[in-house]
């Protein structure tokens, strides 16, 4: 199903694998990582390693390696898969060449892993849309919230490659992407690893198909997506109920994805919408309880100036004066110079 004329990617395979691009990718990748053992080892023979990698890619013998896996709490337990340094370097080399092209194909209301977007801008856009839909809180405004079940683990490799082929005609780029995509499976033929930079871009390309469906077929006026979390806002509850089966059908048939039944619901905006870490009300927003607990735990166990600065910057975006004081108190009580 196609709604727009597909633009053709003009970047060549050589643009991606050139030693110049690999070196620039290294400079971007290594920021903040130069104290890591595997990064130090790679950088000891940087010129030789980059030249060898280029030769492998040019001759077509490059094969993506395996992963080191571990778990993080964010706040729920997430299974992270970390590739070798040489593979992550290639991820960056691909990303820096493909992102500028694909970003132009995305709708404006897709906010995840994009420059000049992010969670705070998504929340700002959400609150602006809610005010518009409710005519400055005069009318009752309804919000359909949706979440995709096991999002990264459910990305279908074959479907993803079919989407990529709509834009990319260089078979060598497609083979390289296929190499990376098929380096990981959560189940046969499915899944992208959370630890890959390329995964962030690939899921946006995958979900862009859904975004275009929402824009051109459902014709939703107020819609925002951040990764697998998305919302529809309307003053017409019946319309939201009507589009839900259309959403389910498209995701299942076109992308092999399913909505999470416990995380899909319709509520009034006045009741407070829990979206992207904040509970958004008509006149204010407060930090989600789980987000607050995670923040306090981290500031107590990792009392560093950069952590404090990051949290205080985040708290500027909502009604959080009391939480701000608590964060500062916990920081000074647990600060380790």
């Amino acid at each position: 199903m196609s709604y727009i004329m597909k633009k053709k990617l003009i970047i060549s395979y050589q643009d991606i694998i050139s030693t110049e691009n690999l070196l620039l990718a290294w400079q971007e990748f290594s920021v903040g990582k130069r104290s890591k053992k595997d990064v130090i080892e790679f950088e000891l023979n940087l010129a030789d390693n980059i030249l060898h990698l280029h030769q492998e890619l040019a001759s077509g013998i490059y094969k993506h390696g395996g992963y080191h896996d571990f778990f993080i709490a964010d706040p729920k337990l997430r299974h992270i898969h970390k590739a070798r340094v040489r593979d992550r370097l290639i991820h960056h080399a691909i990303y820096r060449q493909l992102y500028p092209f694909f970003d132009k194909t995305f709708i404006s209301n897709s906010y995840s892993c994009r420059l000049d977007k992010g969670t705070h801008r998504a929340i700002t856009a959400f609150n602006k849309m809610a005010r518009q839909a409710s005519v400055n809180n005069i009318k009752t405004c309804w919000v359909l919230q949706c979440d995709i079940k096991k999002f990264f683990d459910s990305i279908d490799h074959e479907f993803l490659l079919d989407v990529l082929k709509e834009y990319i005609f260089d078979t060598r780029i497609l083979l390289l992407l296929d190499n990376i995509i098929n380096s990981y499976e959560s189940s046969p033929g499915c899944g992208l690893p959370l630890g890959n930079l390329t995964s962030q871009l690939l899921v946006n390309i995958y979900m862009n198909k859904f975004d275009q469906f929402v824009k051109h077929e459902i014709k939703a006026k107020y819609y925002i997506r951040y990764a697998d979390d998305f919302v529809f806002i309307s003053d017409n509850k019946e319309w939201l109920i009507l589009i839900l089966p259309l959403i389910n059908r498209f995701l299942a048939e076109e992308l092999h994805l399913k909505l999470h039944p416990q995380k899909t619901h319709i509520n009034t905006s006045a009741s407070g919408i829990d979206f992207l870490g904040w509970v958004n009300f008509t006149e204010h927003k407060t930090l989600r309880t789980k987000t607050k607990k995670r923040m306090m735990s981290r500031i107590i166990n990792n009392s560093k100036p950069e952590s404090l600065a990051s949290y205080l910057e985040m708290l500027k975006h909502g009604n959080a004066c009391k939480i701000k004081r608590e964060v500062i108190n916990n920081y000074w009580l647990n600060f380790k110079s």
Side-chain angles (χ1 to χ4, degrees):
M1 199 176 294
S2 179
Y3 307 104
I4 56 174
M5 183 75 71
K6 296 293 191 301
K7 296 179 180 179
K8 180 179 178 180
L9 178 72
I10 60 173
I11 298 298
S12 71
Y13 183 67
Q14 186 58 41
D15 291 325
I16 293 173
I17 71 163
S18 70
T19 53
E20 179 186 7
N21 189 54
L22 290 171
L23 183 57
L24 290 170
W26 174 261
Q27 292 170 358
E28 295 170 0
F29 161 75
S30 61
V31 173
K33 302 184 183 74
R34 285 200 160 93
S35 62
K36 304 291 185 181
K37 183 181 177 181
D38 52 356
V39 175
I40 292 171
E41 290 174 352
F42 192 91
E43 195 165 32
L44 284 173
N45 297 293
L46 182 61
D48 288 343
N49 285 331
I50 285 181
L51 184 59
H52 184 65
L53 200 50
H54 167 74
Q55 290 169 344
E56 282 189 25
L57 290 161
S59 62
I61 64 170
Y62 166 76
K63 181 67 177 176
H64 195 288
Y67 293 87
H68 164 63
D69 68 305
F70 54 94
F71 291 89
I72 63 170
D74 185 37
K76 67 180 181 182
L77 205 62
R78 295 186 186 276
H79 199 184
I80 305 297
H81 289 77
K82 182 181 176 182
R84 299 176 301 176
V85 169
R86 70 196 307 266
D87 296 322
R88 284 184 281 155
L89 173 56
I90 292 175
H91 300 167
H92 276 258
I94 293 169
Y95 186 90
R96 69 185 315 275
Q97 291 291 338
L98 297 192
Y99 173 82
F101 166 80
F102 279 105
D103 189 64
K104 293 176 183 177
T105 71
F106 301 151
I107 67 169
S108 61
N109 289 328
S110 165
Y111 282 87
S112 176
C113 302
R114 297 178 65 190
L115 295 175
D116 300 321
K117 297 288 185 178
T119 54
H120 297 312
R121 295 197 179 192
I123 292 168
T124 298
F126 169 83
N127 286 299
K128 180 180 178 181
M129 289 181 184
R131 286 193 300 271
Q132 291 173 337
S134 64
V135 193
N136 288 324
N137 306 322
I138 293 174
K139 301 171 67 174
T140 300
C141 177
W142 299 88
V143 180
L144 167 61
Q145 286 185 268
C146 301
D147 183 285
I148 294 173
K149 189 175 182 180
K150 296 181 179 179
F151 181 47
F152 274 81
D153 283 346
S154 300
I155 301 296
D156 187 295
H157 292 179
E158 185 178 348
F159 277 40
L160 174 56
L161 286 165
D162 284 343
V163 174
L164 292 169
K165 288 174 184 176
E166 295 177 11
Y167 299 93
I168 302 172
F169 297 91
D170 188 325
T171 56
R172 293 171 300 173
I173 296 178
L174 289 169
L175 285 171
L176 178 58
L177 290 171
D178 180 67
N179 192 338
I180 294 170
I181 291 166
N182 285 294
S183 67
Y184 170 86
E185 286 183 327
S186 56
S187 61
C190 288
L192 291 177
L194 282 171
N196 283 3
L197 177 64
T198 47
S199 296
Q200 299 175 8
L201 176 60
L202 291 172
V203 295
N204 269 340
I205 295 170
Y206 199 74
M207 287 300 291
N208 185 47
K209 201 173 181 72
F210 175 70
D211 294 338
Q212 299 298 337
F213 167 74
V214 169
K215 180 178 180 178
H216 296 281
E217 290 296 309
I218 292 182
K219 300 185 186 300
K221 186 175 182 180
Y222 302 119
Y223 163 77
I224 293 174
R225 182 178 65 80
Y226 189 96
D228 59 330
D229 293 329
F230 52 93
V231 294
F232 294 83
I233 308 169
S234 177
D235 62 354
N236 187 337
K237 184 180 181 181
E238 286 68 33
W239 179 77
L240 294 175
I241 294 171
L242 184 66
I243 66 170
L244 188 53
L246 303 179
I247 293 166
N248 267 309
R249 187 180 308 120
F250 183 92
L251 289 173
E253 294 178 359
E254 298 292 329
L255 300 175
H256 276 194
L257 298 174
K258 295 180 180 179
L259 291 180
H260 197 303
Q262 277 76 50
K263 297 181 180 180
T264 300
H265 37 72
I266 300 175
N267 291 306
T268 63
S269 60
S271 65
I273 303 299
D274 190 337
F275 184 52
L276 302 180
W278 292 87
V279 181
N280 299 269
F281 294 91
T282 53
E283 298 293 341
H284 69 286
K285 56 180 179 286
T286 60
L287 201 63
R288 180 192 293 164
T289 302
K290 286 183 179 179
T291 306
K292 177 188 171 182
K293 287 181 178 178
R294 183 170 79 252
M295 180 189 299
M296 294 305 172
S297 175
R298 287 181 177 176
I299 206 70
I300 290 169
N301 296 304
N302 186 27
S303 297
K304 295 181 179 180
E306 55 269 30
S307 299
L308 176 65
S310 175
Y311 290 137
L312 293 182
E313 181 63 29
M314 185 186 81
L315 292 172
K316 288 180 181 179
H317 296 273
N319 302 80
C321 291
K322 185 178 178 181
I323 298 173
K324 180 180 176 181
R325 288 195 298 271
E326 191 175 344
V327 167
I328 293 172
N329 289 339
N330 280 324
Y331 170 79
W332 287 114
L333 285 170
N334 295 279
F335 177 71
K336 298 178 181 67
S337 58

